[in-house]
Amino acid sequence: MTPTAATDSLRADHRRIETQLDGLLDALLRLAPDRVGDIRRHFAGIRRLAEPHFAQEEGVFYPRLRPLDPARLDRMDEQHEHTRDLR
C-alpha cells in the first residue's frame, strides 16, 4: 500500500468511526428505552472499526512518524490504550 493510500484509508476509517460516535451521542442525548438498540449498535460499530484501524495505524503509520516526533506518538499510543480500556 502506498503512503497516500494508507493515509486515505486511515482518514476514511476516522470518518466511519466519527459517524458511529455521532450516532451514539444522538442516541444518548435522546435516551429512551427504544434507543437502547441504537446505543448497542453504535458501540458494536465502533468496536468493529477500531481494532483493524488501530492495527494499521500502529503497524504502518506510527513507526514511520515516531522518529520525527516521539513525544506526540507516545501520546497517540496512550490515546489508543485509553480507547481500548473503554471498550
Side-chain angles (χ1 to χ4, degrees):
M1 180 178 288
T2 68
T4 300
T7 301
D8 289 346
S9 174
L10 290 170
R11 188 176 294 115
D13 286 350
H14 282 181
R15 299 300 82 82
R16 285 189 287 273
I17 291 168
E18 287 170 356
T19 298
Q20 292 294 327
L21 288 168
D22 289 343
L24 176 60
L25 178 60
D26 180 66
L28 291 170
L29 290 174
R30 302 168 195 268
L31 194 56
D34 63 330
R35 299 301 306 263
V36 172
D38 292 336
I39 292 167
R40 286 185 178 138
R41 182 172 49 83
H42 290 299
F43 267 116
I46 293 164
R47 283 189 201 108
R48 178 180 48 79
L49 293 167
E51 200 53 45
H53 173 80
F54 287 172
Q56 184 177 11
E57 271 187 339
E58 293 166 357
V60 176
F61 192 63
Y62 285 16
R64 292 179 185 238
L65 291 180
R66 194 169 303 280
L68 303 173
D69 194 347
R72 182 181 308 257
L73 271 291
D74 288 346
R75 288 192 306 276
M76 293 167 77
D77 288 335
E78 289 172 10
Q79 290 172 346
H80 277 193
E81 285 307 310
H82 178 73
T83 301
R84 284 185 176 103
D85 290 345
L86 293 174
R87 297 181 299 136

